[in-house]
């Protein structure tokens, strides 16, 4: 299926576009300041004496958030405008922190970050910021059940306009959406939230074109990100804006990147975990299976969740996350460290 056709389907099916009308407290200031900590915790070790990732306290500058939505448990989805210092791009970013983030026993601990990307245009909104898809409330419940880490969920805009898609890349002559996604957005999170210095605390999830961007970002930057949940993704860059820039396009091609990484010796410091999801009624099942068969080797680890009777839409993918995908990446990432 071509990307324009996918984008059209995504605009209708990948999430409610009537986002957040009549929400309690919508537009009011909201703070993500956590419980007070007297000083950053020293590097800790686990029960086996293995060093745990270092916690980074918010470095600032502090962003101003307003309430975009309120969950039934009282936690807020906030929104702010980020001026990307490295990309030069300015766009909106939505953020949600789980209840555990505000628990005093985690005052000195970092939290894992999940950068959640939509399908379709992904502009001017990221549809994961709505409560209709229940991404945040599901993560909250799954974390109580031991199926998921309590992720801080970060939801940036995917593209800079409604006219084109940019493959989350620095296409020559275009806004630097690759730098925005893999440098400016993480820098913003570190400025405002308790995070982990290690890549063990960083992952992507995304559907359709957002799944492509998450997949490509992890494979291109395994030193920064450890895992991705890629739902119904494309596996090659196909924006028409790449015309005349084949060398640069190949540098952002997940198939090429997976081949290069998979050809390296396996080691813990470069392993990446690719959790693919696809509905059984989608047309791309064979392509995803082919990618997994060809590129799962060496440091490249993968898992496939075929969602029975699932289609190319976000509700299908949230179900797949609960059926196993979120637990699989959580098992390979760093959990918050409670005070001893």
């Amino acid at each position: 299926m071509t990307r324009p056709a996918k984008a059209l389907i995504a605009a209708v099916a990948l999430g409610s576009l009537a986002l957040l009308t009549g929400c309690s407290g919508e537009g009011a200031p909201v703070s993500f300041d956590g419980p007070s900590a007297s000083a950053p915790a020293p590097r800790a070790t686990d029960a086996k004496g293995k060093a745990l990732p270092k916690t980074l306290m918010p470095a600032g500058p502090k962003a101003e958030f307003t309430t975009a939505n309120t969950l039934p448990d009282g936690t807020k989805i906030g929104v702010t405008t980020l001026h990307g210092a490295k990309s030069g791009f300015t766009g909106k970013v939505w953020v949600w922190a789980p209840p555990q983030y505000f628990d005093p026993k985690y005052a000195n601990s970092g939290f894992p970050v999940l950068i959640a990307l939509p399908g379709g245009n992904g502009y001017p909104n990221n549809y994961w910021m709505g409560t209709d898809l229940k991404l945040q409330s599901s993560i909250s419940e799954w974390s109580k059940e031991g199926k998921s880490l309590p992720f801080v969920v970060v939801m940036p805009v995917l593209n800079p306009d409604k006219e084109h898609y940019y493959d989350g890349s620095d296409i020559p002559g275009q806004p630097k959406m690759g730098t925005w996604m893999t440098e400016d957005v993480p820098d913003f999170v570190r400025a405002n939230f308790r995070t982990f210095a290690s890549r063990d605390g960083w992952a992507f999830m995304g559907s359709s074109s957002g799944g492509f961007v998450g997949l490509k970002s992890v494979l291109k930057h395994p030193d920064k990100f450890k895992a991705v949940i890629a739902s119904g993704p494309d596996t090659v860059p196909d924006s028409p804006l790449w015309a005349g820039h084949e060398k640069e396009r190949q540098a952002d091609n997940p198939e090429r990147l997976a081949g290069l990484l998979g050809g390296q010796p396996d080691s813990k410091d470069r392993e990446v975990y690719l959790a693919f999801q696809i509905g059984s009624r989608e047309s791309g099942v064979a392509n995803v299976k082919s990618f997994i068969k060809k590129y799962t080797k060496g440091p490249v680890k993968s898992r496939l969740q075929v969602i029975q009777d699932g289609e190319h839409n976000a509700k299908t993918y949230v179900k797949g996350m609960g059926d196993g995908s979120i637990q699989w990446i959580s098992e390979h990432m760093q959990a918050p460290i409670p005070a001893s």
Side-chain angles (χ1 to χ4, degrees):
M1 186 183 299
T2 64
R3 184 72 69 87
K6 283 189 175 182
L8 179 61
I9 292 171
V12 176
L14 278 171
S16 171
L17 300 182
L19 294 170
L20 310 180
T21 56
C23 299
S24 174
E26 183 177 349
V30 60
S31 172
F32 289 102
D33 290 343
S36 297
S38 58
R43 179 176 287 272
T45 58
D46 63 16
K48 297 181 180 179
K50 179 183 177 182
L52 294 172
K54 180 181 179 181
T55 288
L56 297 179
M57 291 298 177
K62 188 176 179 180
E64 295 183 359
F65 294 94
T66 56
T67 301
N69 209 350
T70 302
L71 274 63
D73 65 2
T75 56
K76 306 284 186 179
I77 297 172
V79 62
T80 191
T81 298
L82 171 62
H83 303 283
K86 296 177 179 176
S87 68
F89 173 70
T90 297
K92 288 185 177 181
V93 182
W94 292 262
V95 183
W96 173 80
Q100 293 91 330
Y101 189 84
F102 305 98
D103 187 332
K105 72 180 179 182
Y106 293 109
N108 283 303
S109 178
F111 272 71
V113 176
L114 188 66
I115 301 173
L117 305 178
N121 292 322
Y123 179 91
N125 291 318
N126 179 324
Y127 57 61
W128 293 115
M129 47 78 86
T131 58
D132 53 340
L133 298 173
K134 302 186 184 302
L135 174 63
Q136 295 83 2
S137 58
S138 294
I139 288 175
S140 186
E141 288 302 311
W142 294 333
S143 68
K144 295 175 186 176
E145 298 167 359
K147 295 168 62 176
S148 172
L149 297 181
F151 290 97
V152 171
V153 181
V154 182
M155 299 153 276
V157 293
L158 180 62
N159 290 305
D161 55 54
K162 293 182 179 179
E163 303 302 317
H164 304 287
Y165 49 96
Y166 293 74
D167 284 339
S169 303
D170 290 359
I171 300 175
Q174 305 297 332
K176 295 182 177 181
M177 300 312 292
T179 299
W180 158 262
M181 200 66 67
T182 62
E183 296 191 41
D184 287 334
V185 170
D187 285 349
F188 154 81
V189 179
R190 283 186 285 266
N192 290 278
F193 294 87
R194 303 191 307 278
T195 58
F196 289 115
S198 165
R199 73 191 190 102
D200 290 353
W202 293 85
F204 279 89
M205 66 82 65
S207 47
S208 192
S209 53
F212 166 86
V213 174
L215 176 65
K216 184 267 299 186
S217 297
V218 171
L219 288 168
K220 188 171 185 177
H221 302 285
D223 57 324
K224 297 180 180 180
F225 309 103
K226 192 171 188 180
V228 59
I229 299 175
S231 304
D234 298 305
T235 58
V236 294
D238 61 356
S239 170
L241 298 173
W242 287 113
H245 305 290
E246 183 60 19
K247 179 181 178 181
E248 292 85 353
R249 189 181 81 90
Q250 286 302 322
D252 283 85
N253 185 345
E255 295 184 354
R256 177 179 176 274
L257 293 167
L260 291 172
L261 183 58
Q264 298 180 30
D266 198 353
S267 68
K268 292 295 183 183
D269 63 347
R270 63 167 66 97
E271 285 180 347
V272 295
Y273 292 84
L274 315 179
F276 290 95
Q277 299 193 135
I278 195 158
S280 63
R281 295 183 180 182
E282 290 193 58
S283 62
V285 176
N287 180 60
V288 170
K289 287 184 175 179
S290 175
F291 185 99
I292 291 171
K293 182 178 180 180
K294 185 173 182 179
Y295 298 112
T296 301
K297 60 184 68 173
V300 180
K301 317 297 181 182
S302 64
R303 179 185 186 275
L304 175 60
Q305 184 80 40
V306 177
I307 306 156
Q308 189 61 35
D309 296 323
E311 300 179 340
H312 193 69
N313 61 64
K315 289 186 177 180
T316 288
Y317 301 143
V318 173
K319 179 182 183 300
M321 291 172 70
D323 287 344
S325 297
I326 195 80
Q327 183 167 351
W328 188 68
I329 69 162
S330 292
E331 289 171 351
H332 299 288
M333 296 185 67
Q334 178 60 51
I337 306 167
S340 54

